[in-house]
């Protein structure tokens, strides 16, 4: 697919569908998920109050947090992701938890017809996990809904090699993470 890098970034940040699908089409190859870790944790330790309000959960409730990367066949990361799931909201949550390297969008398409995304934030974010010099990365966060029920919260930070940051979309990169620093994995993109 021949598209200007800035246009690709704007498409991805404003897209209300599957990130995997649009990036796979752009890169001309299927993508898979590499899971770093998954843990059950109190929502108050994992999410800001504003996000908990969107998910309609209290700080005391338990959530599943998955840290993962969307990767190419070569193993190079296209994005790093944090997915927060509310157990018992839908049977698909267990499939996601046990889903192996199947991207989230594919599992949702197969098992949750009619889901949609509500974009909460799109722009740039400071991230120190890439092997490139640029630490400002395009990012977005959203809630995946089924009807009026929130199922998942997703944060995506894109590799500047694939999705270059568009600085006029968000003039000041968010330097403060939306979760405590000790919970952010220090992802390292393989250097080729």
């Amino acid at each position: 697919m021949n598209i200007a890098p800035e246009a690709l970034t704007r498409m991805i940040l404003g897209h209300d569908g599957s990130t995997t699908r649009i990036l796979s089409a752009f890169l001309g190859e299927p993508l898979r998920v590499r899971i770093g870790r998954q843990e059950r944790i109190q929502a108050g330790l994992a999410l800001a109050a504003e996000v908990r309000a969107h998910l309609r959960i209290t700080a005391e409730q338990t959530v599943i947090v998955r840290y993962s990367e969307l990767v190419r066949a070569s193993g190079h990361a296209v994005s790093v992701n944090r997915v927060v799931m509310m157990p018992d909201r839908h049977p698909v949550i267990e499939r996601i938890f046990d889903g192996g390297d199947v991207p989230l969008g594919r599992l949702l398409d197969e098992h949750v017809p009619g889901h949609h995304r509500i974009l909460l934030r799109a722009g740039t974010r400071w991230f120190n996990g890439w092997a490139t010099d640029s630490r400002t990365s395009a990012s977005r966060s959203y809630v995946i809904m089924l009807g009026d029920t929130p199922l998942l919260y997703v944060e995506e930070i894109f590799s500047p090699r694939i999705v270059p940051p568009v600085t006029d979309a968000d003039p000041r990169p968010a330097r403060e993470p939306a979760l405590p620093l000790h919970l952010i994995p220090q992802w390292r993109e393989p250097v080729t």
Side-chain angles (χ1 to χ4, degrees), residues 27-184:
L27 295 169
E29 65 180 273
L31 301 173
R32 64 180 176 82
V33 170
R34 180 168 50 213
I35 297 174
R37 76 176 189 268
Q38 298 184 117
E39 60 190 351
R40 293 180 190 271
I41 189 170
Q42 274 191 330
L45 297 174
L47 297 167
E50 175 188 350
V51 177
R52 290 194 312 268
H54 284 287
L55 298 174
R56 297 184 212 131
I57 57 174
T58 67
E60 294 75 31
Q61 286 181 267
T62 298
V63 295
I64 299 170
V65 181
R66 178 172 91 174
Y67 301 94
S68 62
E69 297 171 300
L70 191 57
V71 297
R72 302 176 82 162
S74 65
H76 287 89
V78 174
S79 69
V80 294
N81 311 295
R82 185 170 74 115
V83 178
V84 180
M85 303 171 258
M86 282 67 64
D88 305 325
R89 288 264 171 110
H90 192 279
V92 76
I93 302 302
E94 287 303 317
R95 287 190 184 267
I96 293 167
F97 188 78
D98 298 329
D101 66 353
V102 179
L104 181 64
R106 276 192 227 146
L107 285 170
L108 290 170
D109 286 347
E110 290 173 14
H111 302 286
V112 189
H115 69 277
H116 63 280
R117 290 160 178 79
I118 297 176
L119 189 64
L120 300 181
R121 182 186 176 284
T124 57
R125 181 165 170 183
W126 193 258
F127 183 70
N128 65 353
W130 301 117
T132 61
D133 291 336
S134 174
R135 292 183 177 192
T136 299
S137 300
S139 71
R140 71 181 193 155
S141 62
Y142 52 90
V143 174
I144 296 177
M145 307 282 292
L146 178 59
D148 65 351
T149 302
L151 298 180
L152 308 159
Y153 169 72
V154 180
E155 292 176 354
E156 300 169 320
I157 305 172
F158 301 98
S159 168
R161 289 183 183 176
I162 308 294
V163 182
V166 179
T167 55
D168 68 345
D170 186 359
R172 293 177 301 147
R175 291 182 183 262
E176 294 301 317
L179 71 162
L181 283 174
H182 72 280
L183 295 178
I184 297 177

